[in-house]
Amino acid sequence: MMIKILVTLLLVTLVIGKLQAQNTGINTKNPNSSLTVNGSYAGSYKVIAADAALTNTDQFVNVLGNTVAVTLTLPNAVVADAAKDAFYGRVYHIKNTSAFDVTIKGNGTQLLQTDAASIVNTVVLKPGLSVMVVKNT
């Protein structure tokens, strides 16, 4: 009888653990998405004043400067091993607080889709504006 109860408890524990493993929550007991954050979060923040190549660790980028226009090159979005492609859904928030245009450029010949009909290699971000770049395909 005692063994039957222990086995039942073990099975219930495994099932509950499996159900809870599907969603992760921070400051919430009932996450309703893959990741639910009840509060704020911080991401990587970088201030740039000259031409730069963004990396896969960048997230929030503030272009600051009053002397020259800046070009930001996005990381290579093509990974040789598709199973390891962690770029789908990657997000970059870029804000231009400089007095000059910021050019956002795809890596090499990689393209940026700005709307349903426009696919280009570069996008110009005017002073005072911001953009969110999302890797989608």
Side-chain angles (χ1 to χ4, degrees), residues 34-120:
S34 296
L35 176 62
T36 301
V37 179
N38 187 11
S40 62
Y41 79 98
S44 151
Y45 180 82
K46 181 185 280 185
V47 175
I48 296 176
D51 291 354
L54 299 183
T55 70
N56 62 357
T57 61
D58 293 322
Q59 185 176 10
F60 297 100
V61 178
N62 183 14
V63 179
L64 181 64
N66 294 316
T67 58
V68 65
V70 170
T71 297
L72 298 178
T73 304
L74 297 170
N76 185 350
V78 178
V79 176
D81 183 353
K84 294 182 181 176
D85 189 355
F87 280 86
Y88 291 117
R90 182 175 304 275
V91 178
Y92 295 92
H93 299 272
I94 302 169
K95 184 174 183 180
N96 182 1
T97 57
S98 77
F100 296 91
D101 290 349
V102 171
T103 300
I104 302 168
K105 182 179 181 314
N107 191 296
T109 59
Q110 293 175 6
L111 302 174
L112 304 167
Q113 184 171 359
T114 57
D115 59 39
S118 300
I119 299 175
V120 295

Side-chain angles (χ1 to χ4, degrees), residues 9-55:
L9 286 174
L10 179 61
L11 289 174
V12 168
T13 302
L14 290 174
V15 169
I16 290 172
K18 181 70 172 169
L19 292 175
Q20 289 178 341
Q22 294 176 5
N23 293 331
T24 300
I26 299 173
N27 287 333
T28 180
K29 291 182 180 179
N30 300 308
N32 56 7
S33 295
S34 296
L35 176 62
T36 301
V37 179
N38 187 11
S40 62
Y41 79 98
S44 151
Y45 180 82
K46 181 185 280 185
V47 175
I48 296 176
D51 291 354
L54 299 183
T55 70

